[in-house]
Amino acid sequence: ITLLAQSIGPRVAVDPHVLDWGNTRCLEPVKRYVKITNNSVIDAKIRAFMKQKHSLWNVHPKNIELSPHETMNLEITLKID
């Protein structure tokens, strides 16, 4: 028997696509939020991280599990030191 299959994982929407940090002060954390929505009928497992290990930005939570059609806010914090 030969089986061929194509599949697509969960479809996740992010809003907004761009964050405006405006003027920020040193040593004062500034938080922004990104809305993440699982637009699928299956669970979505997401890992959020910065490309560089030592970054001025931090994300929370880092590990996310969204049920079908669930929405949550991802917190992104900038702290200039």
Side-chain angles (χ1 to χ4, degrees):
I1 187 169
T2 301
L3 298 175
L4 299 175
Q6 293 182 350
S7 65
I8 297 174
R11 295 177 189 248
V12 177
V14 178
D15 184 51
H17 294 279
V18 177
L19 294 175
D20 182 4
W21 295 92
N23 294 325
T24 58
R25 295 181 152 187
C26 288
L27 304 176
E28 290 185 16
V30 178
K31 296 181 181 187
R32 299 285 187 270
Y33 296 89
V34 174
K35 183 171 73 171
I36 300 174
T37 303
N38 178 5
N39 289 328
S40 301
V41 295
I42 60 175
D43 291 344
K45 292 184 179 182
I46 303 162
R47 277 186 55 219
F49 58 92
M50 303 310 297
K51 286 185 179 180
Q52 296 177 357
K53 187 174 182 175
H54 300 289
S55 177
L56 298 176
W57 288 268
N58 189 18
V59 295
H60 180 77
K62 295 189 184 315
N63 293 303
I64 302 162
E65 291 191 34
L66 293 177
S67 299
H69 306 291
E70 183 179 4
T71 297
M72 67 141 322
N73 285 318
L74 177 68
E75 179 184 279
I76 304 172
T77 304
L78 170 62
K79 184 176 180 185
I80 301 173
D81 51 3

